[in-house]
Amino acid sequence: MCLSLLGATAAQGISDADGAFARAVREEISPDARVAVTLDYRANDAPMASLMAQFDPNLRELGTLPNSLAMGFAYADSPNLGATVPVYGDDKRTVEVQANSLARAIWETREDLRPGLISLGALPTALAILDATPTLVVDSSDNIGGGSARDGTEILRCLLDARQSVIVTLADPKVAARCLALGVGGHFDIEVGALVDDLHGTPLRVQGRVEWVGEANFRNSGSYMTGFVTSMGLTGVPPRRQSARGLGKPAHHAVRPGCLTSVGISPEEEKIIVVKAAIAWQAAVGAVAQRILILDTPGICPANLNQLDYIQSGGAFWPLDTEVAF
């Protein structure tokens, strides 16, 4: 039996939900059943690629069975949080030596794994250094895939204050409804965003003219969810180059080109595009980017792990504890 699991499941009263599920499957089939598990890795872009390349070839030379690498899920609070190197073989000493060697390879590249983050206050200066169009500004803290509402306003506020041309997607049904009531060409003065919580900013007042409004639908192309039809629901587009979009239906990953092209926006022609995702944007719109800036923003899925309060794990791991030893 092969189980395709996410690997980040959490459940009250169960410290290892995925393990408990795998054990339940084995008990249902047979105590002697072989149960294989695949996990959603989400970490195979550089610098992880060089680490991954060291695993299978080296272990095959030593005659060991297939191995794996689990880097851990940073947004889970678990006593076992961290990287794990499972190595299988017939000779315990050989397995231990190789596992330690591969674990040390991870440890020695730890600084390369730390993302180079830009503070929100430094963003206008960073944008002024080089005029690269389009520039993707990555806001992983407001990532709908990690549980956020995708209605954060902090980056939009910062860039509008700096008089920058920017495209930002926001889940805000009332804005979409207002755009529909006004119609294309109608002028509005309305607060947008920060409807669900105050962890990603506060409501921001935006004035302008409705450029596009309606039911937005598109079929995905490229390497990400190819062929699937995405229905964004009622969508309103305030002034281009100062854009906040309201969605009338539940928010989703707004990182695919169709999210923009279906409402009349060409990503290649925009100066700054804010993507609210951690990884998915790479396959979706990464190809059009002339520059990528990853921000240290507030929220529930921050790229800066020091913003999170770990309880079960105690935070005794790198990079929260820079003094921890291998």
Side-chain angles (χ1 to χ4, degrees), residues 48-85:
M48 278 306 304
S50 60
L51 284 175
M52 298 290 287
Q54 298 184 43
F55 277 68
D56 279 342
N58 289 346
L59 292 174
R60 280 197 295 267
E61 292 176 4
L62 294 173
T64 56
L65 296 176
N67 64 96
S68 188
L69 166 62
M71 289 301 290
F73 183 59
Y75 300 108
D77 189 9
S78 164
N80 300 316
L81 188 61
T84 303
V85 179

Side-chain angles (χ1 to χ4, degrees), residues 259-271:
C259 292
L260 300 180
T261 58
S262 64
V263 296
I265 298 173
S266 298
E268 299 85 354
E269 298 176 1
E270 300 302 327
K271 183 178 180 181

Side-chain angles (χ1 to χ4, degrees), residues 13-285:
I14 303 176
S15 61
D16 177 15
D18 289 301
F21 181 71
R23 285 191 294 273
V25 170
R26 173 181 283 167
E27 292 171 1
E28 182 69 21
I29 302 173
S30 166
D32 300 323
R34 293 186 177 186
V35 179
V37 176
T38 65
L39 302 178
D40 190 351
Y41 198 67
R42 298 191 183 213
N44 55 7
D45 303 302
M48 278 306 304
S50 60
L51 284 175
M52 298 290 287
Q54 298 184 43
F55 277 68
D56 279 342
N58 289 346
L59 292 174
R60 280 197 295 267
E61 292 176 4
L62 294 173
T64 56
L65 296 176
N67 64 96
S68 188
L69 166 62
M71 289 301 290
F73 183 59
Y75 300 108
D77 189 9
S78 164
N80 300 316
L81 188 61
T84 303
V85 179
V87 180
Y88 306 90
D90 297 325
D91 182 76
K92 183 178 180 180
R93 177 58 182 164
T94 300
V95 168
E96 287 179 342
V97 169
Q98 193 64 17
N100 283 328
S101 174
L102 293 171
R104 184 171 291 278
I106 300 172
W107 180 254
E108 292 177 349
T109 60
R110 64 190 184 280
E111 289 295 341
D112 295 332
L113 299 175
R114 189 198 295 267
L117 303 180
I118 297 175
S119 69
L120 197 58
L123 179 58
T125 301
L127 291 169
I129 293 175
L130 176 66
D131 186 14
T133 302
T135 291
L136 291 190
V137 174
V138 180
D139 179 16
S140 65
S141 294
D142 196 17
N143 176 13
I144 188 69
S148 78
R150 201 170 52 73
D151 63 0
T153 57
E154 288 299 283
I155 295 179
L156 179 59
R157 185 189 309 276
C158 172
L159 294 180
L160 291 185
D161 287 346
R163 299 186 180 277
Q164 292 281 354
S165 300
V166 57
I167 293 291
V168 179
T169 59
L170 294 176
D172 193 329
K174 76 176 188 308
V175 173
R178 181 60 175 161
C179 288
L180 181 64
L182 292 171
V184 174
H187 290 266
F188 61 88
D189 185 338
I190 191 173
E191 286 192 335
V192 302
L195 298 178
V196 176
D197 57 59
D198 59 359
L199 301 176
H200 306 85
T202 57
L204 174 64
R205 183 159 293 279
V206 175
Q207 302 86 28
R209 178 175 57 86
V210 179
E211 291 210 347
W212 194 99
V213 65
E215 294 285 329
N217 307 285
F218 62 92
R219 185 178 297 276
N220 289 275
S221 59
S223 62
Y224 188 69
M225 297 192 71
T226 308
F228 283 86
V229 175
T230 294
S231 175
M232 297 196 299
L234 179 60
T235 303
V237 180
R240 290 190 65 187
R241 293 166 175 73
Q242 290 188 359
S243 177
R245 187 171 67 216
L247 302 181
K249 292 186 178 180
H252 60 90
H253 270 308
V255 295
R256 302 154 198 157
C259 292
L260 300 180
T261 58
S262 64
V263 296
I265 298 173
S266 298
E268 299 85 354
E269 298 176 1
E270 300 302 327
K271 183 178 180 181
I272 304 169
I273 302 174
V274 176
V275 289
K276 295 173 177 286
I279 297 295
W281 61 267
Q282 296 186 20
V285 293

